[in-house]
Amino acid sequence: MRVHKLTIAAMALAAGLSLTACQNDDAGTDQGAAPPAASTASSSTGGSGSTGSDQQGGTDSEGKTPAGTGGSDGTGGTGGTGGTGATGGTEENGKAAKCRTDELEITAIDATVGGDDRGTVAVDLKNGGGRDCSLAGHAGVDLKTNSGTLSAERTGEPAPLVVLKDGERTTFGITYPINDSGGSGVRITGLVVTPPDETKSVTLDWPGGATLPVTDGSGTPVQVGPLGSAGQGG
């Protein structure tokens, strides 16, 4: 009987120990559940990782900025360099900008050769502007007379472009009919020269024959040659 009681007591003690162990296991399981809660918080942090994604998106934006720079078509615009047709303009300027009246020293001399049936005056244009400059075409020539202004006609010869370095010169000729009629004729009082493409003129003394024959308009006209020619007899 005593042995049986001890056996029952031992079983009861074992059952108690077993219950305590189960309760401890439950507590361990609860503690094990805590990390998932921390993981959830970590998930939130991961969510801030979306902010990183946003930053990545920001990187995309930055990627767009260079594209925008290209789009600034600044480069395309610089294609305006091609368009810098300025370069084309520069090539034209490479031939030198046109000579201005104020840059030119203009003089005139008698260049008539004995025996010619016409008189010749050579007009000299010297570049004194301190830079290269160009002239093309015919100069404007007017003779002042006691009967009014007489404009010279062009000879019709080709007029090439002339580029003058500083100090260089070019010459053109003016031809006119000699007054051998024995009459007083039309008295010349001055010479007005206007460089090509200019509106400002220079008035010089007339170095040629003092008079022109009086005609009905059917006689030899006063003519001006292109730049680079001294005219007949020059």
Side-chain angles (χ1 to χ4, degrees):
M1 187 68 178
R2 179 177 178 79
V3 172
H4 182 65
K5 287 181 180 180
L6 287 175
T7 300
I8 292 173
M11 290 177 61
L13 178 60
L17 290 174
S18 176
L19 178 61
T20 302
C22 289
Q23 288 175 349
N24 287 339
D25 286 344
D26 291 341
T29 304
D30 291 342
Q31 288 174 359
S39 175
T40 303
S42 205
S43 250
S44 288
T45 310
S48 60
S50 331
T51 307
S53 283
D54 291 343
Q55 291 174 354
Q56 181 63 36
T59 306
D60 291 341
S61 299
E62 291 174 359
K64 292 177 183 177
T65 304
T69 307
S72 76
D73 226 341
T75 311
T78 315
T81 302
T84 314
T87 306
T90 305
E91 289 175 0
E92 293 182 359
N93 290 337
K95 297 176 183 177
K98 69 178 182 179
C99 300
R100 300 290 184 181
T101 301
D102 291 338
E103 297 176 311
L104 298 170
E105 298 172 20
I106 304 175
T107 56
I109 62 170
D110 183 11
T112 304
V113 174
D116 284 349
D117 60 354
R118 290 187 297 170
T120 301
V121 166
V123 180
D124 188 83
L125 292 80
K126 180 181 178 180
N127 178 14
R131 65 182 179 92
D132 293 359
C133 67
S134 63
L135 294 164
H138 292 74
V141 170
D142 297 299
L143 300 185
K144 288 184 175 182
T145 76
N146 60 343
S147 297
T149 300
L150 174 65
S151 296
E153 300 176 5
R154 296 177 180 178
T155 61
E157 299 173 68
L161 176 73
V162 176
V163 177
L164 299 177
K165 294 184 180 298
D166 185 39
E168 289 186 341
R169 65 187 68 208
T170 187
T171 304
F172 68 87
I174 303 169
T175 57
Y176 60 94
I178 295 174
N179 182 19
D180 53 9
S181 65
S184 59
V186 178
R187 186 166 55 88
I188 303 174
T189 60
L191 168 63
V192 181
V193 177
T194 308
D197 297 324
E198 277 289 88
T199 56
K200 186 174 183 179
S201 303
V202 173
T203 300
L204 307 171
D205 291 334
W206 173 252
T211 63
L212 296 174
V214 177
T215 70
D216 58 4
S218 61
T220 303
V222 176
Q223 292 185 304
V224 56
L227 298 170
S229 70
Q232 183 179 348

